[in-house]
Amino acid sequence: MYQNFIPKQYSHCFRGNLPALCYTWKKKIGESFSPPRILHSHADMLEVNLITSGTTSFTLAEHKYTVSNGDIMVINAGVLHDEDALQAASTTTVGFAMSGVKIEGLPDNMLIPADANPILSLGDSFEEVRSLLITIHDLLNQDIDQYAEASQLLACGVLSMLVRLYQQKASPSAPPVKSEMLTERIRKYIDTHYQEDFSLQDIGKALHSNPYYISHVFKESTGYSPMQYAIRLRIGQAQALLAGTNYSITQIAGMVGYDNSSHFNTMFAKYIGMTPGKYRKIFLPPETDKDSLPKKRKN
């Protein structure tokens, strides 16, 4: 029999209170996140997503990544991200979101440095991490009240493991090349002006670059043309407003850059598969007391 004793002193990765587990998910092959949650970010929490089988594509900030079985992806707070819904249906994934994450040496709700590669191949650590993530999800799925504390502490343990794994295995970031710097400038322009009516020519004029070259460079990096990215950003922001505020649909249309609410409804249905009103009803059932809402939603 072997006994392993924990050291009396060891380094800590968390500052202050432990992070809080927000939600978990486990997606099987043939399933997709429905309704889809396109280009969006989370201001006050980060996500951890493990690909357990299959291959899919994610866009994070201004980069498109291909991930497959054994890869884990960390999405820091504030990072815009999007998933290829068609590819995602052929994958299985498991993960969770946490808030109040305070890692030594990093801003709040960041697990890895902003310039680090968010994708890590777990290698020999895959089975350990996979088992823990599935356990966290399944415990909450059995009984949220009874297993909330256990799930919370296990999730904190996974974050601590990932901090060390990224430090040990992550490849160093290469200096950005000229095209990457241009892509970031394009993204920042769109992120700043997405509520306005602008064209590819407007971006080119603002960045002193050829509009067609801009479109080529941006699509090569993100998988979207600049204008496609702008539309997905508008719809993604609209989803957040529909689910989290009481603004009218007409108000939300204007807030995300659509002067015509009819056009907004058409574009929203095209990308999400339902009208804004129907989408809102999923999250804000009319005449329903919030305390009577179910505590868990099947993913």
PDB file of all heavy atoms in Angstrom, residues 131-146:
ATOM      1  N   SER A 131     -12.720  12.824 -16.731  1.00  0.00           N
ATOM      2  CA  SER A 131     -13.472  12.178 -15.662  1.00  0.00           C
ATOM      3  C   SER A 131     -13.984  13.193 -14.649  1.00  0.00           C
ATOM      4  O   SER A 131     -15.133  13.127 -14.195  1.00  0.00           O
ATOM      5  CB  SER A 131     -12.590  11.132 -14.970  1.00  0.00           C
ATOM      6  OG  SER A 131     -13.277  10.515 -13.907  1.00  0.00           O
ATOM      7  N   LEU A 132     -13.137  14.163 -14.297  1.00  0.00           N
ATOM      8  CA  LEU A 132     -13.552  15.178 -13.332  1.00  0.00           C
ATOM      9  C   LEU A 132     -14.671  16.057 -13.890  1.00  0.00           C
ATOM     10  O   LEU A 132     -15.648  16.353 -13.190  1.00  0.00           O
ATOM     11  CB  LEU A 132     -12.355  16.047 -12.942  1.00  0.00           C
ATOM     12  CG  LEU A 132     -11.347  15.396 -11.984  1.00  0.00           C
ATOM     13  CD1 LEU A 132     -10.079  16.242 -11.904  1.00  0.00           C
ATOM     14  CD2 LEU A 132     -11.952  15.231 -10.590  1.00  0.00           C
ATOM     15  N   LEU A 133     -14.557  16.466 -15.148  1.00  0.00           N
ATOM     16  CA  LEU A 133     -15.581  17.325 -15.741  1.00  0.00           C
ATOM     17  C   LEU A 133     -16.919  16.598 -15.838  1.00  0.00           C
ATOM     18  O   LEU A 133     -17.976  17.180 -15.566  1.00  0.00           O
ATOM     19  CB  LEU A 133     -15.134  17.789 -17.126  1.00  0.00           C
ATOM     20  CG  LEU A 133     -13.986  18.806 -17.156  1.00  0.00           C
ATOM     21  CD1 LEU A 133     -13.570  19.102 -18.586  1.00  0.00           C
ATOM     22  CD2 LEU A 133     -14.384  20.095 -16.451  1.00  0.00           C
ATOM     23  N   ILE A 134     -16.886  15.337 -16.212  1.00  0.00           N
ATOM     24  CA  ILE A 134     -18.126  14.562 -16.295  1.00  0.00           C
ATOM     25  C   ILE A 134     -18.735  14.370 -14.912  1.00  0.00           C
ATOM     26  O   ILE A 134     -19.953  14.467 -14.734  1.00  0.00           O
ATOM     27  CB  ILE A 134     -17.868  13.211 -16.980  1.00  0.00           C
ATOM     28  CG1 ILE A 134     -17.587  13.435 -18.474  1.00  0.00           C
ATOM     29  CG2 ILE A 134     -19.062  12.273 -16.804  1.00  0.00           C
ATOM     30  CD1 ILE A 134     -17.235  12.175 -19.232  1.00  0.00           C
ATOM     31  N   THR A 135     -17.888  14.138 -13.916  1.00  0.00           N
ATOM     32  CA  THR A 135     -18.384  13.983 -12.545  1.00  0.00           C
ATOM     33  C   THR A 135     -19.071  15.257 -12.064  1.00  0.00           C
ATOM     34  O   THR A 135     -20.153  15.211 -11.477  1.00  0.00           O
ATOM     35  CB  THR A 135     -17.228  13.630 -11.590  1.00  0.00           C
ATOM     36  OG1 THR A 135     -16.656  12.376 -11.985  1.00  0.00           O
ATOM     37  CG2 THR A 135     -17.728  13.525 -10.155  1.00  0.00           C
ATOM     38  N   ILE A 136     -18.472  16.401 -12.325  1.00  0.00           N
ATOM     39  CA  ILE A 136     -19.065  17.677 -11.924  1.00  0.00           C
ATOM     40  C   ILE A 136     -20.443  17.843 -12.553  1.00  0.00           C
ATOM     41  O   ILE A 136     -21.424  18.180 -11.884  1.00  0.00           O
ATOM     42  CB  ILE A 136     -18.140  18.845 -12.323  1.00  0.00           C
ATOM     43  CG1 ILE A 136     -16.849  18.801 -11.510  1.00  0.00           C
ATOM     44  CG2 ILE A 136     -18.854  20.188 -12.127  1.00  0.00           C
ATOM     45  CD1 ILE A 136     -15.761  19.706 -12.044  1.00  0.00           C
ATOM     46  N   HIS A 137     -20.524  17.596 -13.855  1.00  0.00           N
ATOM     47  CA  HIS A 137     -21.799  17.744 -14.557  1.00  0.00           C
ATOM     48  C   HIS A 137     -22.841  16.762 -14.030  1.00  0.00           C
ATOM     49  O   HIS A 137     -23.990  17.130 -13.758  1.00  0.00           O
ATOM     50  CB  HIS A 137     -21.610  17.538 -16.052  1.00  0.00           C
ATOM     51  CG  HIS A 137     -22.886  17.645 -16.839  1.00  0.00           C
ATOM     52  ND1 HIS A 137     -23.742  16.570 -17.004  1.00  0.00           N
ATOM     53  CD2 HIS A 137     -23.477  18.684 -17.470  1.00  0.00           C
ATOM     54  CE1 HIS A 137     -24.783  16.953 -17.718  1.00  0.00           C
ATOM     55  NE2 HIS A 137     -24.650  18.223 -18.019  1.00  0.00           N
ATOM     56  N   ASP A 138     -22.452  15.504 -13.879  1.00  0.00           N
ATOM     57  CA  ASP A 138     -23.416  14.475 -13.484  1.00  0.00           C
ATOM     58  C   ASP A 138     -23.901  14.660 -12.049  1.00  0.00           C
ATOM     59  O   ASP A 138     -25.060  14.354 -11.737  1.00  0.00           O
ATOM     60  CB  ASP A 138     -22.800  13.082 -13.662  1.00  0.00           C
ATOM     61  CG  ASP A 138     -22.638  12.705 -15.133  1.00  0.00           C
ATOM     62  OD1 ASP A 138     -23.144  13.458 -15.981  1.00  0.00           O
ATOM     63  OD2 ASP A 138     -22.004  11.680 -15.414  1.00  0.00           O
ATOM     64  N   LEU A 139     -23.032  15.140 -11.166  1.00  0.00           N
ATOM     65  CA  LEU A 139     -23.463  15.404  -9.791  1.00  0.00           C
ATOM     66  C   LEU A 139     -24.558  16.469  -9.765  1.00  0.00           C
ATOM     67  O   LEU A 139     -25.584  16.313  -9.101  1.00  0.00           O
ATOM     68  CB  LEU A 139     -22.274  15.858  -8.938  1.00  0.00           C
ATOM     69  CG  LEU A 139     -21.313  14.773  -8.451  1.00  0.00           C
ATOM     70  CD1 LEU A 139     -20.122  15.408  -7.747  1.00  0.00           C
ATOM     71  CD2 LEU A 139     -22.009  13.788  -7.517  1.00  0.00           C
ATOM     72  N   LEU A 140     -24.331  17.559 -10.503  1.00  0.00           N
ATOM     73  CA  LEU A 140     -25.344  18.614 -10.545  1.00  0.00           C
ATOM     74  C   LEU A 140     -26.617  18.126 -11.220  1.00  0.00           C
ATOM     75  O   LEU A 140     -27.721  18.531 -10.861  1.00  0.00           O
ATOM     76  CB  LEU A 140     -24.803  19.842 -11.288  1.00  0.00           C
ATOM     77  CG  LEU A 140     -23.839  20.731 -10.509  1.00  0.00           C
ATOM     78  CD1 LEU A 140     -23.401  21.903 -11.371  1.00  0.00           C
ATOM     79  CD2 LEU A 140     -24.477  21.245  -9.223  1.00  0.00           C
ATOM     80  N   ASN A 141     -26.464  17.263 -12.193  1.00  0.00           N
ATOM     81  CA  ASN A 141     -27.629  16.751 -12.907  1.00  0.00           C
ATOM     82  C   ASN A 141     -28.490  15.865 -12.006  1.00  0.00           C
ATOM     83  O   ASN A 141     -29.702  15.767 -12.186  1.00  0.00           O
ATOM     84  CB  ASN A 141     -27.177  15.963 -14.139  1.00  0.00           C
ATOM     85  CG  ASN A 141     -28.266  15.856 -15.186  1.00  0.00           C
ATOM     86  OD1 ASN A 141     -28.929  16.830 -15.510  1.00  0.00           O
ATOM     87  ND2 ASN A 141     -28.467  14.658 -15.706  1.00  0.00           N
ATOM     88  N   GLN A 142     -27.865  15.229 -11.007  1.00  0.00           N
ATOM     89  CA  GLN A 142     -28.616  14.384 -10.070  1.00  0.00           C
ATOM     90  C   GLN A 142     -29.413  15.231  -9.076  1.00  0.00           C
ATOM     91  O   GLN A 142     -30.588  15.010  -8.865  1.00  0.00           O
ATOM     92  CB  GLN A 142     -27.651  13.482  -9.287  1.00  0.00           C
ATOM     93  CG  GLN A 142     -27.009  12.390 -10.115  1.00  0.00           C
ATOM     94  CD  GLN A 142     -26.067  11.560  -9.249  1.00  0.00           C
ATOM     95  OE1 GLN A 142     -26.432  11.120  -8.149  1.00  0.00           O
ATOM     96  NE2 GLN A 142     -24.855  11.352  -9.728  1.00  0.00           N
ATOM     97  N   ASP A 143     -28.712  16.188  -8.456  1.00  0.00           N
ATOM     98  CA  ASP A 143     -29.373  16.990  -7.420  1.00  0.00           C
ATOM     99  C   ASP A 143     -28.542  18.244  -7.182  1.00  0.00           C
ATOM    100  O   ASP A 143     -27.501  18.204  -6.531  1.00  0.00           O
ATOM    101  CB  ASP A 143     -29.489  16.192  -6.116  1.00  0.00           C
ATOM    102  CG  ASP A 143     -30.389  16.872  -5.092  1.00  0.00           C
ATOM    103  OD1 ASP A 143     -30.294  18.102  -4.965  1.00  0.00           O
ATOM    104  OD2 ASP A 143     -31.175  16.179  -4.432  1.00  0.00           O
ATOM    105  N   ILE A 144     -29.011  19.371  -7.704  1.00  0.00           N
ATOM    106  CA  ILE A 144     -28.243  20.609  -7.597  1.00  0.00           C
ATOM    107  C   ILE A 144     -28.013  21.008  -6.140  1.00  0.00           C
ATOM    108  O   ILE A 144     -26.906  21.367  -5.749  1.00  0.00           O
ATOM    109  CB  ILE A 144     -28.953  21.742  -8.363  1.00  0.00           C
ATOM    110  CG1 ILE A 144     -28.846  21.496  -9.870  1.00  0.00           C
ATOM    111  CG2 ILE A 144     -28.347  23.097  -8.018  1.00  0.00           C
ATOM    112  CD1 ILE A 144     -29.536  22.541 -10.715  1.00  0.00           C
ATOM    113  N   ASP A 145     -29.058  20.934  -5.307  1.00  0.00           N
ATOM    114  CA  ASP A 145     -28.929  21.372  -3.923  1.00  0.00           C
ATOM    115  C   ASP A 145     -27.971  20.499  -3.126  1.00  0.00           C
ATOM    116  O   ASP A 145     -27.133  20.984  -2.372  1.00  0.00           O
ATOM    117  CB  ASP A 145     -30.308  21.376  -3.243  1.00  0.00           C
ATOM    118  CG  ASP A 145     -31.226  22.448  -3.819  1.00  0.00           C
ATOM    119  OD1 ASP A 145     -30.699  23.481  -4.260  1.00  0.00           O
ATOM    120  OD2 ASP A 145     -32.445  22.234  -3.845  1.00  0.00           O
ATOM    121  N   GLN A 146     -28.067  19.192  -3.300  1.00  0.00           N
ATOM    122  CA  GLN A 146     -27.267  18.277  -2.492  1.00  0.00           C
ATOM    123  C   GLN A 146     -25.802  18.272  -2.890  1.00  0.00           C
ATOM    124  O   GLN A 146     -24.913  18.152  -2.036  1.00  0.00           O
ATOM    125  CB  GLN A 146     -27.837  16.852  -2.613  1.00  0.00           C
ATOM    126  CG  GLN A 146     -27.111  15.835  -1.736  1.00  0.00           C
ATOM    127  CD  GLN A 146     -27.767  14.473  -1.780  1.00  0.00           C
ATOM    128  OE1 GLN A 146     -28.807  14.311  -2.384  1.00  0.00           O
ATOM    129  NE2 GLN A 146     -27.144  13.494  -1.138  1.00  0.00           N
TER     130      GLN A 146
END
